[in-house]
Amino acid sequence: MSSESTTIRWEQDDTGVVTLVLDDPNQSANTVNKAFRESFAAITDRLEAEKDSIRGVVLTSAKKTFFAGGDLRDLIRVTPDTAQELFDGGLAFKRQLRRMETLGKPVVAAINGAALGGGYELALACHHRIALDAPGSKIGCPEVTLGLLPGGGGVVRTVRLLGITDALLKVLLQGTQYNPRRALENGLVDEVAETREEMLAKARAFIDAHPESAQPWDRPGYRIPGGTPSHPKFAANLPAFPANLRKQTGGAPYPAPRNIMAAAVEGAQVDFETAQVIEARYFVELAAGQTSKNMIQAFFFDLQAVNSGAGRPKDVPARKVTKVAVLGAGMMGAGIAYSCARAGIDVVLKDVTLEAALKGKAYSEKLCAKAVSRGRTTREKADALLARITPTAEAADLAGCDAVIEAVFEDTSLKHKVFQEVQNVVAPDALLCSNTSTLPITALAEGVERQEDFIGLHFFSPVDKMPLVEIIKGGRTGDEALARAFDLVRQINKTPIVVNDSRGFFTSRVIGHFINEGVAMVGEGIEPASVEQAAAQAGYPAKVLSLMDELTLTLPRKIRRETQRAVEEAGGTWTPHPAEAVVDRMVDEFGRTGRSGGAGFYDYDESGRRGPLWPGLREHFTRPGHTVPFRDMQERMLFSEALDTVRLLEEGVLTSVADANIGSILGIGFPGWTGGVLQYINGYEGGLSGFVARARELAERYGERFTPPALLVEKAEKGEVFRD
Ligand code: NAD
């Protein structure tokens, strides 16, 4: 028998078990859209009306995923004006879930695939959760990563299921996505099944054994596990909560963790219905705010656009790499070899000596051993990965490679030499990539015979952890090479952004502005500790002076001098940045070259561990009592990067807004709450006009480098935003 409901199918067998099959006919995944809400309301009406003939309910889906949750296209459009509508709609939906939960009949979630966010919240409103151990299946509440909280009862129910502390730490604050086994270990589901049949059989067994199910929190005498804030034992833990919050956000403007914590703690002190209203209020506040819009735009829409190939030439057929030559088994080459082998690609790892190549492979051995010991992979899989990496010192071993990734020292003539050595050994149409971080690709290409097959593939360190690869199209790079490079990056599960050739490309050039601004502030006499705090509280993952120490003070100086020479040779004038004098003094006068040299803006012990900021900074640079507004300090860093990104758009180095946003967050640590370096401008108070006005103010106070570029002013005047 079938109902009229459009997104949920009603299937009832002759034993009185109703299977509700989530199956939105208009989408590949089920979401909480208008059609679903209407269907669900009709279903709950029917469940209540036909209750006497129903023995139990199984909720499952006909899609690959169980349920995808809230529709982000709707959520990103919420404004303070439509907030009330969201609040009312949310509470109405929660009431339907509550009706199902209090039906008096057992309701089982048969979670056949991913149940994230609203999908898991739907499962939480069931009395029993059985997850199918399907590959790639994930369970959890990742809303926090989009600047939101689970507003479908997820905070209220996880708190009542797991207790406040576990709900916060295991589910809500980090947004961890668990595979079914780990979801079971952490109490998010009750059982795991190997097959769909087993899952459904277990669901029936539960219904047979629990004819009159109720949620634990609806039973007499229920208490929240671990106690509530009114319990003295639990209350003693409460002061640690704000400290944890501070640790998570670094003081940066992420409102979601704060709202989640407040909804959990406040909601634990009241009855279920009131807790739902509290949760709804905190949810709507987040949804109507700017941060969730920034984060949804970046981590959902932009990321999807970038990964799905917006920057890839469309008419080149997809092709997979089967055997890659990695030249140079140093820090980058070793990481690149591991990432390729992990994706199933055979790797020939070449260095000048076999010993050096073996050392490069040892890096993969270390990573594999760690993954096995932590249960993230099996010994067999790790062995298979390692077997794919062949270390060598012989160019002849590169025969048959269909791609080359070069990662030798940063030296043009050396790079030319290694390509000459291998270009006629590898497959005749092999893709030729360089992992240079600074050398212009067009000039590097001059050292190879097939310049149209030559391209920049800029990985970030540590390669195994960093998700971004910046693809740099040289002046003569062909579309085919670009498409193949894009496919290779996707093949190794990384995110590719595409830029045109220019000194420092996009990422290295823009991060240079951030660092220069921090260093310039030290030179102005501002307390170095305040500069570090400003970076942390703006949301940068690494403090600015410590980052400079990591990169070394000498490398950026070398690059700066080369750039200066190039500018002057081309007839231009070099405008020195105030940071340059500080770096020159640090290196020339005090011999402090950064962490690898044992001393930089910070002191280091013999093992290279960072100690305190170097006291000499205060002695030689700080003007006691000299301060500038803290907000100026933060915005000088953020604006310097955003303004240069606009210049890169003007210059045609960048051609996509999504690439800029994603590249800035994933590659160079631009704070995630902004939604990326161009979305930061879009979302700034007062929009683009507000940003332009503020940039002019900063230019007046701190220097012409903050003058807004023409493209920005023009867009602000037209009332536009940066969007592809
Ligand atoms: P590294 O010094 O750790 O490794 C370079 C390796 O190249 C060494 O093992 C060396 O023995 C080997 N090598 C030198 N000559 C060779 C030859 N003729 N044939 C084969 N191997 C040779 O350097 P790294 O940090 O891995 O950097 C490598 C490249 O990656 C550079 O171009 C660098 O600019 C770029 N890069 C570095 C980073 C980073 O964070 N370190 C980030 C992005 C890109």
Side-chain angles (χ1 to χ4, degrees):
M1 167 163 140
S2 203
S3 83
E4 276 91 51
S5 160
T6 52
T7 71
I8 308 171
R9 258 197 329 274
W10 173 293
E11 296 170 359
Q12 186 164 3
D13 68 11
D14 47 18
T15 72
V17 172
V18 175
T19 303
L20 298 176
V21 185
L22 308 166
D23 193 8
D24 188 331
N26 300 316
Q27 307 190 86
S28 59
N30 302 298
T31 61
V32 187
N33 53 15
K34 187 165 171 281
F36 176 78
R37 275 195 297 267
E38 284 170 8
S39 307
F40 197 72
I43 288 284
T44 31
D45 284 348
R46 183 164 173 198
L47 286 173
E48 281 176 354
E50 299 178 19
K51 192 172 150 181
D52 293 343
S53 65
I54 296 170
R55 214 157 55 78
V57 180
V58 180
L59 198 58
T60 192
S61 123
K63 311 283 190 195
K64 212 167 126 240
T65 52
F66 174 68
F67 197 88
D71 194 321
L72 294 171
R73 280 165 303 198
D74 295 341
L75 277 173
I76 201 169
R77 284 199 293 263
V78 175
T79 64
D81 291 340
T82 60
Q84 186 63 37
E85 206 178 300
L86 180 70
F87 181 83
D88 295 341
L91 276 186
F93 180 55
K94 286 166 146 176
R95 271 194 296 276
Q96 308 295 352
L97 289 177
R98 193 79 185 119
R99 282 168 70 199
M100 179 177 83
E101 180 177 60
T102 54
L103 189 68
K105 302 284 176 178
V107 183
V108 183
I111 307 171
N112 56 294
L116 292 170
Y120 181 57
E121 290 182 289
L122 185 61
L124 276 168
C126 300
H127 304 110
H128 196 67
R129 285 161 289 282
I130 307 168
L132 176 64
D133 197 4
S137 186
K138 294 279 180 223
I139 294 165
C141 290
E143 283 86 344
V144 67
T145 62
L146 299 176
L148 294 167
L149 60 74
V155 177
V156 178
R157 288 194 179 85
T158 52
V159 161
R160 279 157 175 75
L161 184 71
L162 305 170
I164 301 174
T165 308
D166 276 4
L168 285 174
L169 298 185
K170 292 182 173 175
V171 186
L172 302 170
L173 284 179
Q174 307 293 334
T176 312
Q177 302 185 16
Y178 295 102
N179 66 34
R181 300 257 156 222
R182 294 209 49 231
L184 178 67
E185 281 160 28
N186 287 286
L188 277 77
V189 299
D190 303 294
E191 290 184 81
V192 170
E194 293 298 326
T195 62
R196 195 178 171 94
E197 293 67 41
E198 185 193 341
M199 173 180 72
L200 295 175
K202 284 184 160 166
R204 277 163 186 280
F206 179 86
I207 289 170
D208 293 344
H210 303 82
E212 282 172 35
S213 268
Q215 296 284 32
W217 43 89
D218 289 324
R219 292 196 196 115
Y222 165 79
R223 294 211 184 287
I224 289 181
T228 69
S230 55
H231 191 284
K233 234 176 161 179
F234 188 88
N237 296 330
L238 267 183
F241 279 50
N244 271 331
L245 192 60
R246 175 89 191 174
K247 201 168 153 211
Q248 178 168 352
T249 63
Y254 287 99
R258 185 203 58 211
N259 279 24
I260 288 172
M261 201 172 269
V265 172
E266 290 170 28
Q269 302 176 74
V270 294
D271 63 86
F272 193 95
E273 303 308 336
T274 314
Q276 298 240 67
V277 177
I278 291 173
E279 179 192 274
R281 260 195 221 118
Y282 281 117
F283 170 70
V284 170
E285 184 182 75
L286 292 175
Q290 186 60 43
T291 308
S292 67
K293 300 197 186 326
N294 292 343
M295 294 177 83
I296 293 171
Q297 181 64 40
F299 296 111
F300 191 76
F301 293 109
D302 285 350
L303 193 58
Q304 209 170 48
V306 169
N307 277 335
S308 65
R312 180 194 187 280
K314 301 279 166 292
D315 42 3
V316 181
R319 208 167 124 180
K320 281 206 184 314
V321 167
T322 54
K323 188 174 173 190
V324 65
V326 178
L327 310 180
M331 187 169 88
M332 297 304 288
I336 294 167
Y338 172 79
S339 297
C340 291
R342 187 170 55 176
I345 303 174
D346 285 331
V347 180
V348 186
L349 181 57
K350 181 184 174 304
D351 208 297
V352 274
T353 61
L354 180 61
E355 198 189 353
L358 283 165
K359 196 166 155 235
K361 182 170 176 177
Y363 180 73
S364 288
E365 286 158 2
K366 199 180 85 191
L367 291 180
C368 284
K370 200 160 141 194
V372 172
S373 74
R374 300 217 167 143
R376 284 200 307 262
T377 189
T378 60
R379 189 67 258 173
E380 293 71 42
K381 282 190 188 153
D383 287 344
L385 186 161
L386 292 172
R388 283 193 282 273
I389 304 177
T390 309
T392 186
E394 305 301 324
D397 289 339
L398 307 180
C401 286
D402 46 3
V404 177
I405 305 176
E406 168 279 312
V408 301
F409 301 132
E410 190 75 335
D411 178 285
T412 304
S413 52
L414 175 66
K415 289 185 189 283
H416 283 169
K417 186 179 142 250
V418 299
F419 273 110
Q420 270 148 26
E421 232 171 68
V422 308
Q423 62 186 349
N424 294 317
V425 180
V426 294
D429 65 344
L431 178 69
L432 306 173
C433 315
S434 173
N435 177 45
T436 174
S437 43
T438 57
L439 303 171
I441 293 300
T442 312
L444 263 190
E446 283 162 12
V448 304
E449 281 163 19
R450 290 180 286 114
Q451 295 197 29
E452 68 282 7
D453 291 339
F454 191 87
I455 197 160
L457 216 54
H458 180 204
F459 288 83
F460 294 77
S461 173
V463 179
D464 55 291
K465 293 218 179 73
M466 294 292 281
L468 190 78
V469 178
E470 183 177 27
I471 299 179
I472 305 111
K473 225 180 124 188
R476 282 175 286 276
T477 304
D479 268 5
E480 165 117 19
L482 175 57
R484 286 171 70 191
F486 190 98
D487 295 347
L488 171 57
V489 175
R490 292 301 296 137
Q491 197 180 342
I492 60 173
N493 299 313
K494 296 201 182 282
T495 293
I497 60 164
V498 180
V499 305
N500 285 310
D501 196 17
S502 166
R503 210 161 258 281
F505 322 131
F506 159 51
T507 53
S508 304
R509 179 168 139 180
V510 166
I511 199 174
H513 287 273
F514 163 60
I515 292 171
N516 271 343
E517 216 42 53
V519 173
M521 287 191 254
V522 173
E524 285 166 30
I526 299 172
E527 281 281 353
S530 302
V531 174
E532 294 294 69
Q533 264 312 307
Q537 290 190 28
Y540 286 100
K543 295 176 180 170
V544 62
L545 302 176
S546 76
L547 181 64
M548 172 108 235
D549 274 0
E550 293 296 322
L551 296 175
T552 76
L553 279 66
T554 41
L555 180 69
R557 184 160 90 146
K558 183 169 161 257
I559 296 165
R560 179 235 300 169
R561 286 181 171 164
E562 281 168 14
T563 314
Q564 179 172 357
R565 205 173 317 124
V567 168
E568 286 168 353
E569 274 169 19
T573 27
W574 177 256
T575 320
H577 192 285
E580 293 169 16
V582 179
V583 172
D584 288 345
R585 271 191 87 188
M586 287 291 283
V587 175
D588 300 334
E589 202 176 321
F590 309 118
R592 302 185 72 94
T593 57
R595 180 169 154 197
S596 56
F601 286 97
Y602 284 80
D603 284 330
Y604 296 87
D605 67 15
E606 289 91 70
S607 65
R609 212 185 356 235
R610 197 172 70 215
L613 277 159
W614 176 46
L617 287 177
R618 301 194 69 202
E619 193 183 317
H620 298 288
F621 294 102
T622 307
R623 288 156 52 199
H626 173 69
T627 56
V628 301
F630 198 59
R631 180 168 169 200
D632 285 14
M633 291 168 67
Q634 296 180 317
E635 293 195 342
R636 282 174 64 173
M637 297 187 231
L638 296 163
F639 271 59
S640 67
E641 294 194 90
L643 291 166
D644 197 45
T645 303
V646 177
R647 284 183 221 115
L648 283 161
L649 275 178
E650 275 180 337
E651 292 165 22
V653 177
L654 275 170
T655 56
S656 144
V657 172
D659 279 359
N661 284 333
I662 291 303
S664 67
I665 298 177
L666 299 187
I668 52 174
F670 199 77
W673 63 265
T674 62
V677 68
L678 291 175
Q679 178 61 21
Y680 172 57
I681 303 179
N682 292 342
Y684 194 78
E685 233 178 291
L688 265 64
S689 310
F691 194 91
V692 165
R694 177 67 173 147
R696 288 185 172 139
E697 197 173 87
L698 292 175
E700 214 159 276
R701 284 186 202 163
Y702 303 107
E704 278 182 17
R705 60 188 182 279
F706 291 103
T707 305
L711 175 67
L712 175 57
V713 176
E714 197 184 295
K715 273 187 166 293
E717 280 167 0
K718 286 194 203 147
E720 293 173 0
V721 292
F722 289 101
R723 183 110 338 127
D724 291 324

